C-alpha cells in the first residue's frame, strides 16, 4: 500500500471516529430525553395515601398450605397420604332409556362395483342372500321395494330403508373360492 493510500485511509478513519464520538458525547436536547407524555392521564383519586396496615397484616399472616419439599434436594418428595375411603352411598340408577329400533338388517350383499373411466358414475352390484337375483344400482336407486342406495365407495355401500330412514353400511365382500 502506498504512502498516499495510507494517509487517505487514516484520514477517513479519523473522520468516522470523530462522527461517532460527537454523536455519543454531544449534549442531548430536552425534547429527546423526555418520553412522549399522555395528556389524558388522570391520577387515581386516593383519599388517604397511607399504608393500609390491616391489609398488610392479613397478607403477612397467610401460611403456605401445600406440600413442603426441600427444593435443594434431589430426592423426590414423599408421596401424599392416601385419601380416606368413604363407604359408597347407595346409588340409585335411573332406568335405562328405551332402546331404539333394532339395527337394520338387509338380505343382500355388496359384491362389486363399476365406474366410468373418469370415476364419476359408479354402479354397485348387489345380490340377494340366496344369490338368485343380482341388482346393478347407482346412488339414489331403490331395490327390493324398500331400500335406497345412499352412497357408494370402493369398499362400502350406505343403504337406507325408505320407510323408517334407518341406515346400514354394507362392506364389499370378496367372492369365495366357489366364485
Amino acid at each position: 500500500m502506498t504512502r498516499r493510500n495510507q494517509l487517505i485511509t487514516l484520514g477517513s478513519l479519523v473522520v468516522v471516529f470523530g462522527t461517532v464520538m460527537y454523536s455519543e458525547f454531544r449534549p442531548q436536547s430536552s425534547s429527546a430525553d423526555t418520553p412522549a407524555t399522555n395528556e389524558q392521564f388522570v391520577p387515581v383519586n386516593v383519599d388517604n395515601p397511607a399504608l393500609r396496615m390491616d391489609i398488610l397484616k392479613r397478607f403477612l399472616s397467610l401460611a403456605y398450605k401445600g406440600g413442603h419439599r426441600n427444593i435443594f434436594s434431589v430426592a423426590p418428595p414423599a408421596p401424599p397420604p392416601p385419601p380416606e375411603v368413604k363407604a359408597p352411598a347407595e346409588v340409585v340408577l335411573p332406568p335405562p332409556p328405551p332402546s331404539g329400533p333394532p339395527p337394520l338388517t338387509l338380505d343382500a350383499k355388496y359384491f362389486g362395483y363399476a365406474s366410468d373411466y373418469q370415476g364419476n358414475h359408479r354402479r354397485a352390484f348387489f345380490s340377494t342372500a340366496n344369490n338368485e337375483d343380482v341388482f346393478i344400482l347407482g346412488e339414489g336407486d331403490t331395490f327390493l321395494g324398500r331400500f335406497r342406495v345412499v352412497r357408494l365407495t370402493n369398499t362400502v355401500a350406505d343403504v337406507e330403508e325408505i320407510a323408517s330412514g334407518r341406515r346400514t353400511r354394507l362392506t364389499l365382500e370378496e367372492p369365495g373360492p366357489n366364485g
Side-chain angles (χ1 to χ4, degrees), residues 5 27 136 155 175:
N5 288 342
I136 302 173
T155 56

Side-chain angles (χ1 to χ4, degrees), residues 8 15 28 30 44 50 53-54 72 76 82 94 103 108 112 114 121-122 124 127-128 141 165 170 179:
I8 292 172
V15 170
Q28 299 290 329
S30 62
V44 177
M53 295 306 286
D54 56 336
F72 300 104
H121 302 288
R122 184 171 299 194
S127 68
T128 56
D141 293 342
L170 299 175

Side-chain angles (χ1 to χ4, degrees), residues 23 33 48 75 78 88 113 165:
S23 65
D33 285 342
N48 184 2
Y113 67 93

